[in-house]
Amino acid sequence: MAKKKEPVKTSSYASYLRWFWGLFLLGILAVVLLFLSASLFGDLPDHTILENPKTNLATEIISSDGKTLGKFYFNDNRTPVDYEDLPQHLVDALIATEDARFHQHSGIDGRGTLRAIVKLGAGGGASTISQQLAKQLFHGEGSKNIVERMFQKVKEWIIAIRLERQYTKEEIITQYFNIYDFGNNADGIKSAASIYFGKQPKDLDLKESAMLVGMFKNSSLYNPRRNPEGVQNRRNVVLAQMQKYGYITERTKDSVQQLDLSLNYTPESHREGIATYFREYLKKFMKDWIEKNPKADGTKYKLYSDGLKVYTTIDSRMQQYAEDAVQQHMKRLQAEFDHQNTPDRNPTAPFLGLDEAEIDALMKRSMRQSERWRKMKYDLKKSNEEIIASFNTPTEMTIFSWKGEIDTIMKPMDSMRYYKKFLHPGMMSMDPETGHVKAWVGGMNYKHFQYDHVKQGKRQVGSTFKPFVYATAIDQLHLSPCDELPDIPYCIEKGKWGNIEDWCPENSNLQYGGTRTLKNGLANSVNTITANLMDKVGPAHVIEMAHKLGVSTEIPEVPSIGLGTVDLSVFEMVAAYATFANKGVYTEPVMVTSIEDKNNTILYQFTPDTKDVLSEEVAYVTVKLLEGVTEGGSGTRLRTQGYEKWRPDYREIITGYPYEFKNPIAGKTGTTQNQSDGWFMGMVPNLVTGVWVGAEDRAAHFKTITYGQGAAMALPIWGVYMKSCYADKDLNISKEEFIAPEELTIRVDCSGEDTEAQADEETPIQDVPDDLDF
């Protein structure tokens, strides 16, 4: 008997279907609720915020040749770049490593997300570049709380989708590179390329790009300074990813993986890098400009976070040559100064001419004028007794030396005396026609010596002031460089020109006799000739001339100013001398040409400030006088050689000697009483440069003028700097003659009349100064 067919059981299958669709719909509902709750329990950025994300942008200082000199920032050293500034292999490395399907998704990678869920993250993360950008822009590091992190993740998805709608793929890539913190003050790809490799982003090579992209995983862990091995391994992972996705060949991957990191660590801080003293001046300039130029809405620009771009006149190449010249010469000069101030040679080192009581008084004054005293007195409210005790308590400190920083334990009072021994430089270089300042070196190490010796510091100028006297005499009396005056003791009596007593300056070598042309008198810095000219024109007219030339310092109306007793800055002296080179037209020094906001809108544009001071003829005649200084006077060593015959160590101390310049150079050395200050002002037709060297206290100085005169202290810096500038043909520094005016009525060719007491570079160096003033 046939069995009855049993009915098919469909109830379990239908139940399975109901459960499946229920769970599916429940999952959809959960996702919807999750997205809604993310919106309800936390603000999401609207389209205006997405268009203008709040990132702090550093103010960038840009040189005249397009290089970044430095930046002003508090926490974020960030300067944005455009997509066009990113090399293709840098973009390829990012996509291959962080988001291989970047060009296929719209903010969320579904496949990657599903893989991460199924494998619980073991197969790699699922965050797209758009999500990582959203994270960086709007909440930074993820929360460690699982619930909060889940909401954050949903927000990232939402914002990533919005970003993809708002921006192109290229713009998202660019924003991500600009926003990331690469560590060591390297905020954004521009700072990272500069700090780690000394390059612009567009100049990065493959291995450098791969290293920087590798840091996206964790820049704290993969810090190339602290963990170079780990960073190299991570870089090689990036290269492997690039080969996996076809961006590079296996051969390229294998060869580049064998290379080391080749870091060129160039920190970008306010106390390091190039043009530090200039940048400090610029900070004050910008704060003043910001105060006077509010935004359209009345608020003030923020120097450290508004992303301003300050275009300066500084040429990064010339600035580097100037800093190199200073470093080379000051190291050698300091070594000779230290040699002369060992305890057996000078028991009161580094001071000369002071007894112990005077030194004690000097040190106490310095203590009360110090920054340490100010902070303890006014910030910490300490008593005088407590402050004095602190100055005599041994303290851990790092001190400067020419062989490198020294970590030591020293009393602050002892460290002050230690620092008193150092000689300091000040140097500025300027185009006389445009007024553009090309180089500014306010000292030798900004980290340890913040005082600026270009504009802030003023010191006695010595014989470099004499051309103002000569120019006044030429202007008023129509004198010629070939006119002669007697070289005899000369006095301006008491009561005349404001003299309290008779003024009878002596020649530095105490020798007199015969006559000298004005050209010879200035070339050899003969004091009696200057005194004679001062008596003819009077100090009031000389002061008027100096002020018209650009000197702003108040000058006492007495004859002795003719020998340079007044304190002036390098800044003032360069501007004044530039007027001679610029055919009698004073051009105010310019440091900033324009300022732009982060959107490249011009906020400020410089307009030149010029005025006629001298006739073109008087300016030219003064220049011809100054040429005599380097042809047969105190600056002759710029052209000749031979000193080392008489002093074998001369080349070791006089940096760059011999210079052997052949082109026209107008210049003037200056040495003040006791060799406390050494100056050199040098001019060619399109560049005027001034150099000063001296110690903080005038009592610290060379014992003799062998190395204590302007021709030995300051002139070598000018010589080394100019040799570097001439070697760089792109700078186009002139070797031509100064241009004579069309009508020249004053005789300037003194051939055959300039032989009196000429400096002879082939004779032994005597301990008499080239240009000492009394």
Side-chain angles (χ1 to χ4, degrees):
M1 180 175 174
K3 290 183 180 179
K4 265 183 153 182
K5 210 170 176 183
E6 292 184 8
V8 179
K9 294 182 180 180
T10 61
S11 60
S12 61
Y13 181 69
S15 176
Y16 170 78
L17 285 177
R18 284 194 299 271
W19 272 104
F20 172 80
W21 285 111
L23 289 171
F24 178 78
L25 292 173
L26 187 62
I28 295 293
L29 181 62
V31 170
V32 172
L33 289 174
L34 195 60
F35 273 75
L36 287 174
S37 61
S39 301
L40 292 172
F41 292 102
D43 293 333
L44 286 170
D46 61 19
H47 73 282
T48 59
I49 295 177
L50 289 174
E51 289 175 357
N52 298 284
K54 292 182 178 180
T55 55
N56 292 330
L57 303 179
T59 290
E60 186 176 13
I61 307 164
I62 304 170
S63 70
S64 62
D65 55 321
K67 304 297 183 182
T68 300
L69 296 175
K71 300 175 185 177
F72 295 131
Y73 63 92
F74 274 136
N75 298 314
D76 296 341
N77 178 21
R78 181 177 291 105
T79 303
V81 298
D82 297 326
Y83 184 79
E84 293 73 22
D85 298 319
L86 304 175
Q88 188 59 47
H89 50 65
L90 180 68
V91 175
D92 294 341
L94 180 67
I95 293 174
T97 308
E98 298 290 328
D99 191 354
R101 287 180 291 278
F102 177 67
H103 289 291
Q104 281 75 55
H105 64 68
S106 297
I108 300 176
D109 182 3
R111 288 169 57 186
T113 302
L114 185 61
R115 181 197 67 230
I117 292 172
V118 172
K119 296 185 177 182
L120 299 176
S127 289
T128 64
I129 291 174
S130 303
Q131 287 174 250
Q132 292 179 53
L133 175 61
K135 174 182 174 181
Q136 291 286 330
L137 282 173
F138 299 107
H139 65 74
E141 285 299 316
S143 173
K144 294 182 179 180
N145 182 287
I146 296 177
V147 176
E148 288 182 5
R149 182 66 190 122
M150 182 173 63
F151 282 117
Q152 286 179 344
K153 199 70 178 175
V154 173
K155 286 183 181 180
E156 289 172 19
W157 289 344
I158 298 171
I159 296 170
I161 294 171
R162 291 186 180 181
L163 287 171
E164 291 271 356
R165 291 175 180 173
Q166 197 81 30
Y167 297 105
T168 65
K169 291 287 188 179
E170 289 76 14
E171 289 171 333
I172 289 172
I173 288 280
T174 305
Q175 284 194 60
Y176 191 41
F177 273 116
N178 283 331
I179 199 69
Y180 193 74
D181 179 359
F182 291 88
N184 295 305
N185 285 330
D187 299 302
I189 190 63
K190 184 167 185 176
S191 293
S194 175
I195 288 174
Y196 291 123
F197 301 109
K199 294 183 175 182
Q200 294 292 316
K202 63 182 179 181
D203 299 321
L204 293 170
D205 61 28
L206 176 59
K207 74 174 186 301
E208 293 163 347
S209 293
M211 189 204 88
L212 293 175
V213 167
M215 294 177 70
F216 276 106
K217 186 172 181 67
N218 185 332
S219 61
S220 295
L221 175 62
Y222 296 107
N223 184 321
R225 297 190 68 209
R226 294 200 303 261
N227 182 18
E229 184 178 350
V231 171
Q232 186 162 340
N233 291 337
R234 178 61 187 165
R235 180 204 66 185
N236 291 345
V237 170
V238 173
L239 292 167
Q241 287 294 102
M242 294 182 75
Q243 185 266 324
K244 174 181 177 181
Y245 290 104
Y247 292 110
I248 58 174
T249 65
E250 185 172 2
R251 182 178 179 182
T252 299
K253 179 205 74 172
D254 292 340
S255 62
V256 177
Q257 283 182 338
Q258 302 306 310
L259 302 175
D260 59 24
L261 295 178
S262 301
L263 291 180
N264 178 20
Y265 184 64
T266 311
E268 290 185 354
S269 72
H270 302 302
R271 293 190 172 189
E272 296 172 300
I274 194 172
T276 46
Y277 292 90
F278 172 75
R279 281 153 43 195
E280 183 61 26
Y281 160 78
L282 189 63
K283 185 195 298 184
K284 297 182 179 68
F285 174 94
M286 287 302 300
K287 287 181 176 179
D288 182 62
W289 180 86
I290 287 170
E291 193 67 31
K292 298 175 181 176
N293 295 272
K295 297 179 183 179
D297 62 3
T299 61
K300 294 179 181 179
Y301 289 100
K302 297 175 182 177
L303 179 62
Y304 299 100
S305 59
D306 271 356
L308 301 175
K309 296 177 183 177
V310 185
Y311 292 89
T312 72
T313 61
I314 297 293
D315 185 294
S316 68
R317 299 159 296 183
M318 297 174 73
Q319 179 69 29
Q320 191 63 61
Y321 299 151
E323 293 186 12
D324 289 346
V326 164
Q327 292 291 310
Q328 289 177 44
H329 181 58
M330 294 305 298
K331 184 176 183 179
R332 295 185 181 193
L333 192 67
Q334 187 66 50
E336 175 60 24
F337 188 76
D338 292 345
H339 174 71
Q340 295 184 19
N341 281 279
T342 55
D344 57 318
R345 292 185 177 92
N346 180 16
T348 60
F351 308 110
L352 285 170
L354 299 182
D355 57 33
E356 287 300 331
E358 291 171 321
I359 292 173
D360 184 61
L362 183 153
M363 293 303 299
K364 286 180 178 178
R365 284 196 305 272
S366 298
M367 176 179 65
R368 291 176 178 272
Q369 293 168 356
S370 69
E371 182 66 10
R372 181 186 182 90
W373 181 282
R374 187 197 66 78
K375 286 184 176 180
M376 295 188 72
K377 181 74 173 178
Y378 300 105
D379 295 348
L380 302 179
K381 308 300 182 183
K382 299 292 183 180
S383 67
N384 289 357
E385 291 74 18
E386 290 175 307
I387 300 173
I388 293 171
S390 77
F391 270 87
N392 290 286
T393 302
T395 305
E396 290 185 0
M397 62 179 69
T398 301
I399 59 175
F400 170 83
S401 85
W402 278 110
K403 294 181 180 180
E405 291 184 337
I406 301 173
D407 293 326
T408 186
I409 297 175
M410 185 182 290
K411 295 178 183 178
M413 184 63 80
D414 292 338
S415 73
M416 286 177 57
R417 183 152 182 171
Y418 169 80
Y419 278 120
K420 294 288 186 183
K421 76 171 186 174
F422 284 101
L423 300 173
H424 299 272
M427 176 183 181
M428 185 175 116
S429 197
M430 168 178 152
D431 182 323
E433 183 176 0
T434 63
H436 288 190
V437 174
K438 295 297 182 182
W440 177 308
V441 185
M444 57 205 177
N445 186 298
Y446 185 77
K447 181 179 180 181
H448 291 277
F449 308 100
Q450 279 95 55
Y451 193 79
D452 174 41
H453 292 287
V454 169
K455 202 168 192 294
Q456 186 179 5
K458 297 183 179 184
R459 293 293 286 259
Q460 281 190 356
V461 293
S463 290
T464 56
F465 193 90
K466 288 178 179 177
F468 305 156
V469 180
Y470 280 72
T472 305
I474 294 167
D475 185 42
Q476 290 195 353
L477 307 175
H478 209 67
L479 296 180
S480 162
C482 310
D483 288 340
E484 296 184 355
L485 290 174
D487 182 10
I488 58 175
Y490 195 94
C491 287
I492 298 179
E493 63 271 19
K494 176 181 178 181
K496 187 177 183 183
W497 304 125
N499 267 346
I500 299 176
E501 55 186 23
D502 290 348
W503 182 60
C504 306
E506 299 175 321
N507 286 340
S508 58
N509 58 8
L510 302 179
Q511 295 179 4
Y512 308 90
T515 61
R516 291 179 181 267
T517 63
L518 297 190
K519 185 174 184 179
N520 179 271
L522 183 62
N524 292 282
S525 226
V526 181
N527 291 336
T528 57
I529 303 298
T530 304
N532 195 323
L533 292 175
M534 176 62 81
D535 197 17
K536 292 180 184 299
V537 298
H541 289 113
V542 174
I543 294 169
E544 181 185 6
M545 172 65 73
H547 286 160
K548 288 196 297 182
L549 289 170
V551 173
S552 57
T553 300
E554 185 176 346
I555 302 173
E557 193 175 322
V558 291
S560 60
I561 61 171
L563 302 188
T565 56
V566 65
D567 289 4
L568 301 177
S569 67
V570 172
F571 185 88
E572 291 174 290
M573 292 298 289
V574 171
Y577 270 67
T579 306
F580 297 136
N582 194 33
K583 303 178 181 180
V585 178
Y586 168 78
T587 302
E588 184 177 3
V590 179
M591 283 69 75
V592 176
T593 56
S594 63
I595 301 171
E596 295 180 357
D597 66 13
K598 64 181 179 181
N599 299 315
N600 300 323
T601 301
I602 296 176
L603 306 175
Y604 163 86
Q605 202 152 23
F606 128 88
T607 53
D609 184 6
T610 63
K611 61 181 179 181
D612 292 334
V613 173
L614 299 170
S615 69
E616 186 176 348
E617 182 180 40
V618 171
Y620 179 74
V621 173
T622 305
V623 167
K624 299 306 285 184
L625 278 169
L626 291 167
E627 283 185 351
V629 174
T630 66
E631 292 169 354
S634 55
T636 308
R637 65 189 67 188
L638 286 171
R639 303 192 178 283
T640 59
Q641 56 182 319
Y643 274 178
E644 67 275 14
K645 293 181 182 179
W646 315 104
R647 192 175 290 275
D649 63 348
Y650 194 72
R651 288 192 188 212
E652 297 178 11
I653 301 169
I654 305 303
T655 315
Y657 181 84
Y659 311 101
E660 299 182 283
F661 292 114
K662 306 298 183 185
N663 56 292
I665 298 170
K668 188 71 191 78
T669 55
T671 308
T672 60
Q673 186 75 10
N674 295 329
Q675 300 81 241
S676 294
D677 305 273
W679 288 80
F680 183 72
M681 305 296 301
M683 303 189 294
V684 295
N686 64 349
L687 193 66
V688 177
T689 304
V691 183
W692 166 86
V693 173
E696 176 185 334
D697 293 283
R698 298 179 199 270
H701 57 78
F702 281 101
K703 188 174 184 178
T704 71
I705 53 74
T706 302
Y707 298 119
Q709 56 179 293
M713 295 170 71
L715 179 145
I717 294 175
W718 190 92
V720 173
Y721 168 66
M722 290 300 292
K723 284 173 75 172
S724 297
C725 288
Y726 279 131
D728 191 336
K729 303 301 181 184
D730 292 338
L731 295 177
N732 198 30
I733 304 302
S734 176
K735 288 187 176 182
E736 305 302 317
E737 297 275 355
F738 287 88
I739 299 175
E742 293 182 4
E743 293 186 13
L744 184 61
T745 63
I746 299 175
R747 181 186 170 200
V748 294
D749 184 3
C750 308
S751 301
E753 301 182 36
D754 290 331
T755 57
E756 308 97 325
Q758 296 294 313
D760 183 357
E761 293 289 312
E762 297 300 322
T763 58
I765 303 174
Q766 302 296 323
D767 281 345
V768 289
D770 288 331
D771 53 0
L772 186 61
D773 305 306
F774 295 91

